[in-house]
Amino acid sequence: MRSSALEELRPDAGSLIVVLTGAGISKESGLDTFRDADGIWSKVRIEDVATYEAFVRDPRRVHAFYNERRRGLLGANIRPNAAHLALARLEREWPGEVLVVTQNIDDLHERAGTTKLIHMHGELLKAECEHCRSILVWREDMSRDMRCDVCGRAAGLRPHVVWFGEMPLEMDRIGEALDRCGLFVSIGTSGNVYPAAGFVSETRARGTPSVELNLEPSEGASSFSHAIRGRASEIVPAFVDDLLKR
Ligand code: APR
């Protein structure tokens, strides 16, 4: 693995760039990561709030966890940082395509202006009805007794998030993009959760260059061809500047 050596990363101007993002990109916007020392999983257990079994066992607790996170995300002080803005600029100015695949359930990429975006782990500001499978925009607290606006039935609403043990969203579209991209970029993810953690191996098997932008080496760091270490709000804008200059 090389440190920087960015001049070697010269995807063809018309090629697709796939960017995977994780909680680290939103940290400087004021949202907690999961596995850092002060992260979400140091305060609550995955088995209590982030599995379907937990939801069936204690929906009130699971709703309370996501209600608190939703209120936090909608707080006046939470906004996209320079890294989110740089990725939106990359989408606007790169002569080829850019697809952002995020594990994050926040909406900071959208607020920054990214439009080609897949939320593979769902979205905190949406609800899903277990009765009719409708997906509803949802910015309020949610509780088990609420009714679905579409089918009218009660006790079926859940956060539109992918829990441990559930299948991430849009995997076919992601796989197709990984197959044909000219550069794979990973930002702010610890590489602990599959299938996202395996994307770099898929691109590596095809000989596609890849770069990890993260505070520290992720679990899969040795699979990337290049690495840039630092805070996302600093290294992502510089990286995007550099790509656009070529
Ligand atoms: N800039 C860059 N990287 C950062 C920053 C920062 N300011 N702050 C933290 N990081 C890095 C950490 O070093 C860590 O490697 O971001 C990474 C965050 O890792 P996790 O907390 O594990 O988050 P993530 O990889 O997105 O988690 C994946 O796990 O619990 C699930 O569904 C949840 O989508 C989430 C998935």
Side-chain angles (χ1 to χ4, degrees):
M1 182 173 50
R2 308 274 171 70
S3 166
S4 220
L6 279 176
E7 59 285 353
E8 290 173 15
L9 284 175
R10 287 180 187 277
D12 293 341
S15 68
L16 165 67
I17 300 176
V18 174
V19 183
L20 172 69
T21 65
I25 197 170
S26 296
K27 171 77 178 170
E28 293 165 80
S29 291
L31 300 177
D32 287 335
T33 61
F34 293 95
R35 293 174 186 79
D36 289 316
D38 59 348
I40 293 172
W41 298 146
S42 71
K43 294 169 194 147
V44 282
R45 296 190 324 151
I46 288 173
E47 311 86 77
D48 290 336
V49 295
T51 66
Y52 187 69
E53 291 71 27
F55 185 58
V56 170
R57 199 168 54 239
D58 194 348
R60 190 188 296 254
R61 177 166 190 187
V62 174
H63 276 309
F65 173 70
Y66 288 98
N67 287 343
E68 191 185 329
R69 290 183 65 195
R70 193 179 302 103
R71 274 185 244 129
L73 175 60
L74 293 172
N77 52 337
I78 302 295
R79 61 183 71 90
N81 66 55
H84 298 101
L85 294 168
L87 291 182
R89 177 178 170 224
L90 184 66
E91 179 189 301
R92 282 194 308 273
E93 298 184 19
W94 177 249
E97 285 173 79
V98 176
L99 176 67
V100 175
V101 177
T102 189
Q103 298 169 90
N104 299 342
I105 59 174
D106 66 53
D107 65 341
L108 296 181
H109 284 304
E110 292 93 322
R111 288 196 225 172
T114 290
T115 64
K116 293 183 181 117
L117 176 67
I118 294 178
H119 275 282
M120 65 180 290
H121 291 172
E123 294 171 69
L124 187 54
L125 300 182
K126 290 187 178 164
E128 181 180 345
C129 174
E130 293 190 299
H131 299 307
C132 69
R133 292 289 157 201
S134 296
I135 309 289
L136 311 164
V137 172
W138 207 276
R139 299 174 72 86
E140 312 299 325
D141 280 1
M142 198 182 296
S143 67
R144 195 66 178 148
D145 54 355
M146 286 174 158
R147 285 182 184 280
C148 169
D149 289 347
V150 178
C151 71
R153 294 173 69 184
L157 290 179
R158 59 168 279 178
H160 180 50
V161 298
V162 176
W163 285 319
F164 284 89
E166 296 182 323
M167 182 61 83
L169 309 175
E170 304 211 52
M171 286 307 297
D172 288 349
R173 238 179 103 203
I174 296 170
E176 183 274 325
L178 292 172
D179 279 352
R180 68 182 174 88
C181 69
L183 176 64
F184 174 69
V185 181
S186 173
I187 303 172
T189 175
S190 65
N192 276 286
V193 176
Y194 285 80
F199 292 170
V200 64
S201 310
E202 289 177 41
T203 55
R204 184 186 179 167
R206 294 182 167 274
T208 310
S210 56
V211 56
E212 173 171 274
L213 292 89
N214 209 45
L215 210 47
E216 59 193 13
S218 71
E219 289 296 316
S222 61
S223 297
F224 288 84
S225 58
H226 296 73
I228 303 172
R229 303 280 167 234
R231 289 150 57 104
S233 67
E234 291 161 11
I235 59 179
V236 177
F239 174 69
V240 166
D241 259 355
D242 200 80
L243 271 181
L244 291 175
K245 270 191 209 134
R246 293 159 201 217

